[in-house]
Each structure stands twice: as C-alpha cells, then as structure tokens.
Amino acid sequence: MASTKFILGMRDAFFNALFEFYKKDPEVVFITADNGAPTLDQFYQQRPDQYFQVGIAEQQLIGMACGMALEGKKVYTYAIAPFVTTRCYEQNKIDICAMNLPICNIGVGAGYAYDIMGPTHHTVEDLTIMRALPNMTVHSPADSYCAEALAEISYRNPGPQYVRFDRAGVPEIYGEGNHKFADGVLLTCPGGPVALVATGIMVHQAQKVATELAEAGVKARVIDVCRIKPLNTERLFEYLKGVKRVVSMEEHLLTGGLGSLLAETFSDNDMRLPLLRIGQNDRYVFDMGGREVIWEKHGLDVVSMTQRILRWVK
Amino acid sequence: MQPEQRKALESKAHWVRCKVLEMAAHAKSGHISSAFSQTELLVALYHGRLMNFDPKNPRWEKRDRFILSKGQGGIGLYPVLADQGFFPSSELDNFAGRDSLLGVHAEHHVPGMEILSGSLGHGLPVATGIAQIGLVKKQPWLVICLLGDGELAEGSNWEAALYAGSKSLSNLVCIVDRNGGGVIGYSDRVEFPCDGPRMNPLDKKFEAFGFEVRTINGHDFGEIFTAFGDIRHRQHKKPLMIIANTHKGKGASIMEDKRLWHYRVPAGNDLAVTCQDLGLKSLPIGGKRVKAEQGE
C-alpha cells in the first residue's frame, strides 16, 4: 500500500478518499480550473452532474463555487496553488470567507514544489495570506496519509478551507496507523530540549535535521503543524513541554508564515521561548536546477539548517 | 402595459428616489446617482412582479435569485425590499447608522439580499454558479443579475460571461444598468483623460460570448416589461442580457449624467434643488422634517 501511495502523492490520495464522499453525497460538487489528475477522471466519468470545468479562470472558479455553495452545495475547487490563492484572493475574501461558505480550495504545488517553474508557480506566501482571512481553515499536510485523512476532515467540517499539497514523490512520514490528523498538530519525533516545528515538505527536512543534530549531541523533537489555522495551541504546548528552544522550519516566506504564527502564539500566551525562524527571506527565487538547489542556495538544505541551529544552540 | 399600472409603478419609482435621497441625506452617505439609474428596473422586478419572491420567506426555494452585483446600488434596493415587506421600513430611517441592518453596500444578511457585494465584478460569476445548479437540478426558477456597466471593466465578468455562454445557462437573466458613468469617468466618451474604457459595442460583445441580447430604455416601464415578457419561456437556450440604457442620477438635475456625483450627497442649495426636482417641499431627516431650502 505504501509504495502505491508514494507514486500517487498527496493530491491523489486526497482525491481517492474524497471520491467516496463525492459518490455518496450528491451535494458535493467539484470545480476545476483546467487542472487534472489521474484520480480525478472518475469524478466526471461516474458523476458528471457534480463536476464542472471553468477553464483557466480562477476568479470564475471561486465566484461560481460561491453560487453553488449558496445553493447548498459543498464545493471543492482545484487549481495550482498560486492560482487558487493569490490570483483570486479577493474572491477568497468576499465570495468564500465573508459569507462563510462551505468551499474547500485545493492547491497543488506548495512552496517550491514547482521548483524550476519559477516565481509564477512558487507558492511561498499562501499561508500568510490565507490565514489572514477570517473563517478560513488552512491545511498544510506533510504526506499522503495526512492528505488522505483531510478528505474526510474537510467533508465533515464544511466551511471555508484551503488545502495545500506538495507534488507527487514526497515520501511518507506516517504510514498506516491511528494518527490524529484532526488535531492539526502532531509529534512525529519525540524527545529533546529543542523543538523543530515544521509544516509540509519541511517536516521531512526537520526529521533529517533532527538526526544530524543528534549526531552532534543535540537532541531534538519534531512537531508537524499540518493545520496552520486554527492552530491547535493546546496540543502544540503539550508537545512543547520541557522544550528550551524552538526552531520553525518552513518552505515559505518568513513574513507571516509558520514562524510568525509561532511568534504571535508565544507572545499571546506569554510563552518566553527562544525562537529561531528558518524560511525564505523577502525575495523571489529565480534559481534553476531543482528544489534541492533552491534549498542549498537559500539555507533550507539539511546541512545549512543543522549548522545554523547548532550555532544558535551553542 | 395598462396606463394605470404604468402610473402606479412610476409613482413607486418616484417614492423610491425620494426615500433614497432622504436616507442618503440623513446618513450623509450613499450612492444616490447609481440608485437613481436603476430605480425603474428594480421597481419593475419587485413591484411589477416580474420576479417570483416571498418577502415572508426570503430564502423560499422556488424564488428567482436576484443578484445585485452593483452593490453600490444597495441604497436603491433597500426601500424596494422594505416596501415589499422583507424587513420593517423603520430600518430605512437608520440606514448605515449604529446597529443598522443596512450598510452602504449590499450585504447578504439583509433579508432579500443573496450576496455580499460592493467590490465589483463578483455578482456575475456567483450568478453563473447558482444558474448552473438550477439547470442541473432542472429547477424552473431564474437567476437575475443586475450589473453596472462601469463594473464590466472587471475581467471576472468576462470569465463568467464566457462560462455562461459556453454552458448555455438559459436560466440566467442579466441586466446591465447602462448609465455610462463610473466613479470619475464615463465610458464611450472621450472628453477627458479621466474617461473610462470603451464599452461599445456592448451588445456585440455579449452576443459574441453566446448571449441573447436585448437593448431597452431602462427608465421606461413599457420597454422593461416587454423585455421581460417571455423570460420564462424563451426560445433561445442562451443566457439573456438586457442592456438597459439609463441616466446616472436620473431625476436629479444637478446629478443627471454629471461627473462628480458617483459618491456624493447633496447638501445646502444642492439638496434644495434636488428636493425641488423631486417635487418635495421638505425632507424628513433624522426624524424631523427639514425644509428643502434649508438643506442640511
């Protein structure tokens, strides 16, 4: 099973799981802005009345979703992540959030997943802007097990939602088991006075960094924030018990992202924990060569992050 | 159209304009000129019963869905809705005041309002979503979307028009309040650099997108009723676009087709002149009658 999921990736694990609800519940509708997926064909093949294609027109995607939600539908919209967030941001604000409608936006290509596609396809501000919208729930899963669980979570909790997926080929973190993805915050690697708090692809990087840190004599735990908003502070603080230092790790702009969220949360809760924020600085990235090249050039690779944390800790 | 019916509707339109002026003068806010250009269209839809609706059950399943895309026109729709009984008329007296139900822009929590609008270019995409579901569910109701022509500069309208035409959304009836005026400029005029983009030929544009297009005088009840006569049994399996030629600020001499009055409330002599235009000797503002000559 795990090998199959590896090939499918987050998006398709989600779609396969969503299809079960879509098939049983005629009130679930799916709108795509000319984006496909191997697992998506069954949606229009088996339930053509619930599937709509607007073409490359994301304002229309969200506006139409609003109209359908007003008619009682639970709507899923689908596009590449930047186009379902930044491209139609005002539609997200007015047509979804201000009217508090059951619309779930699915965006593929979180962070630098579309590495060599350049800044038009990089999605490194979505967490900031989407969490700025009242009523919006923001999911940022790290693997296909979490993604699969999000199908039911999104279906059972109708409201404004955004789910950001990486591309296919991301390895698994969780595997089969009873993981509490609905908590939104999970401890993936226990122990240690340093906490690496990460989201999305960076949970994988955090686990590698934790291994490197252990070899250098620094014990670290890894916490996966798979739901950015609303942040489950209770669970977060539970997993931070005994921690002396916190490192946030995100493949995202530092402005308003996960690190900012932690800083805000600590401040609001009078938590005086040293916080090192690792992410992207205030810049667009034009580097070619692939995601690992981007990581290496911008301090997001395992070696750079490990060294930076070691310098900070000592 | 029977002369009595026309007279009754014209009288109602006059009342709506007076009410709008009163609300705006009291709140010192509101888009009067935008409300005045659409008045006959709204009165025809509601008081003329061109639409199916139930004021006691605003979300009645079988109602026609009315989408006010030009949310600035909210002030002009509120008196119509109140007069029909969607909410108490006393709400009009507290327009945009503390704890008011009614804001300057149309909001979805007002009984009779379907969506939040005021940012332009949202109504038509939303209307296509509602219409599409209506077709899938084979429902007889219509979606009626009132657009301003100024907002047609928003690209989202054309994304929606492309979809509506392609998918033959025959239950979608759009009306463009074609008053020509934007905020600072007029479309299809080339007097000043502040004039907006050219909209003409608007009928050809929508025809090319797959709409059936009808052009009428939007202040003439007879023409409005003729345009709407067959909307429930049209032969064309196309969305319908009614281009209603209107005058921004219709009925108020200082505003009519004049610049600067998109968002401006008359005071002093301007208010007095507008009252005279509407045949008012005084205006009830803030619970007391103020002589028109005294203005604010």
Side-chain angles (χ1 to χ4, degrees), chain A residues 98-136:
Chain A
M99 288 190 266
N100 201 14
L101 292 171
I103 298 167
C104 179
N105 292 336
I106 303 154
V108 172
Y112 295 120
Y114 287 113
D115 42 18
I116 56 173
M117 306 288 177
T120 58
H121 283 57
H122 296 162
T123 314
V124 289
E125 59 288 281
D126 58 334
L127 298 180
T128 307
I129 65 169
M130 296 308 273
R131 80 182 179 93
L133 297 171
N135 297 328
M136 180 62 88

Side-chain angles (χ1 to χ4, degrees), chain A residues 29 49 52-54 57-60 63-64 66-68 70-71 73 90-91 94-95 98-99, chain B residues 61 65 108 114-116 119 122 125-126 128-130 132-133 136-137 141 156 159-160 163 167:
Chain A
V29 296
D49 280 357
F52 305 93
Q53 146 79 305
V54 294
E58 292 80 12
Q59 298 183 88
Q60 171 66 5
M64 199 167 94
C66 170
M68 292 181 165
L70 287 169
E71 288 302 317
K73 301 296 178 186
E90 200 195 60
Q91 277 72 18
I94 294 177
D95 300 345
M99 288 190 266
Chain B
E61 185 53 38
R65 277 68 170 158
H108 55 295
E114 302 277 349
I115 65 162
L116 172 66
S119 174
H122 286 257
V126 174
T128 62
I130 298 174
Q132 180 68 82
I133 293 301
V136 169
K137 290 165 78 177
W141 44 259
S156 52
E159 291 185 10
Y163 186 90
K167 304 292 178 178

Side-chain angles (χ1 to χ4, degrees), chain B:
Chain B
M1 163 168 266
Q2 296 298 317
E4 305 81 49
Q5 189 190 12
R6 179 190 287 270
K7 205 174 168 188
L9 292 173
E10 284 172 352
S11 164
K12 192 57 77 176
H14 176 257
W15 173 81
V16 168
R17 286 196 172 90
C18 293
K19 205 70 198 170
V20 166
L21 181 66
E22 178 189 322
M23 290 160 68
H26 179 39
K28 296 189 171 61
S29 183
H31 301 78
I32 300 172
S33 60
S34 175
F36 281 14
S37 72
Q38 69 188 9
T39 304
E40 281 78 14
L41 295 165
L42 293 183
V43 168
L45 289 172
Y46 285 88
H47 292 83
R49 290 274 160 179
L50 294 176
M51 277 200 316
N52 292 324
F53 58 92
D54 178 4
K56 298 298 166 217
N57 183 10
R59 299 278 162 179
W60 176 41
E61 185 53 38
K62 293 177 179 170
R63 75 192 183 283
D64 292 324
R65 277 68 170 158
F66 179 69
I67 302 294
L68 181 70
S69 188
K70 47 171 288 192
Q72 283 72 5
I75 190 172
L77 181 52
Y78 297 145
V80 172
L81 293 177
D83 200 44
Q84 290 291 330
F86 279 92
F87 51 81
S89 291
S90 56
E91 288 290 346
L92 302 177
D93 300 332
N94 189 31
F95 167 68
R98 184 182 178 127
D99 298 328
S100 174
L101 174 69
L102 311 174
V104 168
H105 294 110
E107 294 174 0
H108 55 295
H109 51 77
V110 176
M113 293 289 189
E114 302 277 349
I115 65 162
L116 172 66
S117 55
S119 174
L120 297 167
H122 286 257
L124 191 51
V126 174
T128 62
I130 298 174
Q132 180 68 82
I133 293 301
L135 283 187
V136 169
K137 290 165 78 177
K138 298 185 169 59
Q139 293 297 304
W141 44 259
L142 300 173
V143 187
I144 298 174
C145 181
L146 179 61
L147 301 143
D149 61 348
E151 73 169 312
L152 291 179
E154 294 280 6
S156 52
N157 289 303
W158 301 98
E159 291 185 10
L162 191 64
Y163 186 90
S166 305
K167 304 292 178 178
S168 304
L169 300 183
S170 55
N171 56 349
L172 176 64
V173 177
C174 301
I175 311 164
V176 173
D177 179 3
R178 183 84 172 99
N179 62 32
V183 178
I184 63 167
Y186 273 77
S187 60
D188 305 293
R189 282 194 200 173
V190 282
E191 293 173 5
F192 300 108
C194 70
D195 282 320
R198 182 162 53 89
M199 291 294 167
N200 280 329
L202 198 54
D203 51 350
K204 296 280 190 298
K205 287 185 172 76
F206 281 109
E207 276 167 12
F209 275 72
F211 282 67
E212 180 194 354
V213 179
R214 299 171 181 178
T215 302
I216 61 167
N217 173 354
H219 295 303
D220 185 296
F221 283 109
E223 292 198 24
I224 297 170
F225 271 66
T226 302
F228 275 83
D230 64 341
I231 54 170
R232 285 170 213 286
H233 41 83
R234 281 188 302 130
Q235 290 190 330
H236 282 297
K237 292 295 169 207
K238 292 177 175 181
L240 174 63
M241 174 60 68
I242 297 172
I243 298 173
N245 289 318
T246 57
H247 298 282
K248 197 157 177 166
K250 170 77 174 175
S253 58
I254 57 164
M255 296 180 209
E256 197 168 315
D257 292 331
K258 301 281 199 310
R259 296 173 192 275
L260 297 179
W261 284 95
H262 170 72
Y263 181 75
R264 198 178 198 190
V265 177
N269 191 54
D270 287 340
L271 182 59
V273 170
T274 306
C275 284
Q276 284 161 20
D277 289 342
L278 294 173
L280 296 170
K281 288 193 174 128
S282 65
L283 202 63
I285 300 176
K288 51 185 179 185
R289 295 199 78 83
V290 176
K291 279 190 181 175
E293 298 81 57
Q294 292 173 341
E296 57 186 335

Side-chain angles (χ1 to χ4, degrees), chain A residues 124 145 247 268:
Chain A
V124 289
Y145 285 91
V247 181
D268 292 347

